[in-house]
Amino acid sequence: MRDRDRRSWLRGAPPPGWVRVLPAVLLVGVCVATLVSPDPLDIGFLLGAIPPLAVLSYGPAATAVLGVSVLVVLNVPAFRLNDPGSTDVLTVGFVAALSVIVSFVRSRRDAQLVTERAVAEAAQRAVVPPLPERVGGVRCAGLYRAAQRGTLVGGDFFDVREGPCGVRVVMGDVQGHGLSAVSTVASLLGAFREAVLDRPDPESVAARLDRRLAVDSAGVPNSELFATAVVLDFGVGGTAVRVVACGQPGPVLLRDGRAVELDVPVGIPLGMGLSGASPPTGVTVPLRPGDRLFLASDGVWEARDAAGVFYPLLDRITGFTGDLPDLVEGVWADLVRYAPALQDDVTMLVLAPGNPEPR
């Protein structure tokens, strides 16, 4: 299975070990081959590839050392490298000098990329911080993967917060994905975290998010800014959950080895005026000990295989065992196998209500 979570060598990860040792191995190999051969070998051209290969792994100083080593080997009579003329030596010397310059530029760019990635990771933690294992009386685990390569944040979002009225949860998907949606995600999460503190029910939380989007898009001509979301309210006791769905399916209930998508009325998306003529309507679902709620974004529900068949989440999710993080990682690994060419942000959140931790 292709590991989508790991940066490849061509996407900013350090080069593999064999790339780093290749220049030295090639240099030693040419020298050994010329010494053990009874006849002169016309393989000096191989040495010209060493400085460019060094650029892939080393800085300008090490690249310069390898370039000088190549020039020395070319001019040592014992190696009998076909008696290179001045033109050959000058060509290799020019390539070595150019490789040092390229290595310097690459090293500076790599340092800049490391800084930018650190900033992106800090932004991700600020916008969508890692979930704790437990929030109030609800255990939780989440996973988020951005669709746009090279980015750590995108258009999906989720959060779990405890307030005076219990534990509130939100999962949503902003129109579009990638960096253009990050500011909207940050705005919605800020509104959610404030609403958790003073809104009495999940319907009013959804209305607050809708108003936030309406305010953000008011000054933008021809704006079509909207987001789908589902808001959950576990209350103080945690024996039931109230679900409000705004343009997004409700959660999947995992109970006694079965998976059932909760029958929740799906209202209009956020940003369409929920606080006006079309207030959201919630549904209260009783919970039993051992129940789990699994929420997934469109990136999961609408993932397709090579034949265009949707990912059968309800059929497959019951086959994964283990604790909450194991369930999330199991679904993610299975999803990547089923649909390797994922085109949308993927977000998953699993929740297990239980007794709150003692204070």
Side-chain angles (χ1 to χ4, degrees):
M1 181 189 71
R2 180 180 58 169
D3 189 351
R4 293 174 55 97
D5 300 335
R6 183 179 301 169
R7 287 185 297 154
S8 69
W9 169 34
L10 299 179
R11 294 174 57 198
W18 66 267
V19 175
R20 296 184 59 84
V21 302
L22 185 58
V25 169
L26 184 58
L27 180 62
V28 173
V30 169
C31 294
V32 172
T34 56
L35 291 175
V36 301
S37 174
D39 300 317
L41 298 177
D42 189 12
I43 59 175
F45 67 93
L46 294 175
L47 297 177
I50 291 178
L53 287 174
V55 172
L56 299 175
S57 305
Y58 297 102
T63 302
V65 169
L66 286 169
V68 171
S69 301
V70 167
L71 293 175
V72 170
V73 170
L74 281 173
N75 288 278
V76 172
F79 294 118
R80 301 174 299 169
L81 289 171
N82 200 27
D83 296 327
S86 59
T87 301
D88 298 327
V89 175
L90 289 175
T91 301
V92 174
F94 175 77
V95 171
L98 186 61
S99 297
V100 172
I101 296 174
V102 173
S103 178
F104 174 77
V105 174
R106 181 196 58 79
S107 299
R108 295 292 297 271
R109 288 176 62 88
D110 284 353
Q112 181 65 27
L113 288 174
V114 169
T115 301
E116 291 177 356
R117 186 170 183 86
V119 172
E121 290 175 347
Q124 182 188 39
R125 289 191 292 269
V127 175
V128 186
L131 283 178
E133 294 182 359
R134 178 184 290 272
V135 178
V138 179
R139 294 190 301 120
C140 48
L143 178 144
Y144 175 70
R145 298 292 183 271
Q148 185 173 330
R149 290 187 179 274
T151 62
L152 300 176
V153 291
D156 284 5
F157 62 94
F158 62 79
D159 201 1
V160 182
R161 297 277 166 161
E162 184 179 17
C165 300
V167 176
R168 302 273 176 79
V169 180
V170 66
M171 172 182 281
D173 183 2
V174 173
Q175 175 195 20
H177 55 262
L179 297 178
S180 61
V182 173
S183 60
T184 304
V185 168
S187 180
L188 284 174
L189 286 176
F192 170 76
R193 291 160 186 168
E194 290 182 359
V196 166
L197 300 177
D198 56 18
R199 296 291 90 190
D201 50 57
E203 289 87 348
S204 58
V205 172
R208 175 72 65 85
L209 301 180
D210 174 75
R211 188 181 69 178
R212 178 72 266 168
L213 276 184
V215 171
D216 289 347
S217 60
V220 181
N222 302 319
S223 174
E224 297 180 356
L225 183 63
F226 68 91
T228 60
V230 58
V231 180
L232 281 67
D233 182 355
F234 284 95
V236 178
T239 58
V241 61
R242 187 162 181 82
V243 184
V244 176
C246 303
Q248 184 167 313
V252 174
L253 175 63
L254 303 176
R255 174 182 291 173
D256 299 330
R258 296 181 301 167
V260 179
E261 185 178 354
L262 294 179
D263 185 13
V264 178
V266 179
I268 61 177
L270 302 174
M272 301 295 184
L274 296 181
S275 57
S278 302
T281 302
V283 171
T284 301
V285 179
L287 297 174
R288 304 175 186 173
D291 285 352
R292 298 178 178 184
L293 294 172
F294 185 90
L295 295 91
S297 66
D298 292 343
V300 178
W301 289 104
E302 298 180 0
R304 305 187 188 209
D305 62 7
V309 180
F310 288 110
Y311 178 67
L313 175 63
L314 295 180
D315 296 333
R316 298 199 179 212
I317 194 172
T318 55
F320 303 108
T321 58
D323 205 3
L324 305 189
D326 300 322
L327 174 60
V328 170
E329 292 295 337
V331 174
W332 167 246
D334 187 57
L335 180 67
V336 173
R337 284 192 297 265
Y338 186 88
L342 292 171
Q343 300 297 322
D344 199 0
D345 298 337
V346 171
T347 307
M348 291 179 278
L349 184 63
V350 58
L351 307 160
N355 294 325
E357 289 181 324
R359 296 183 181 270

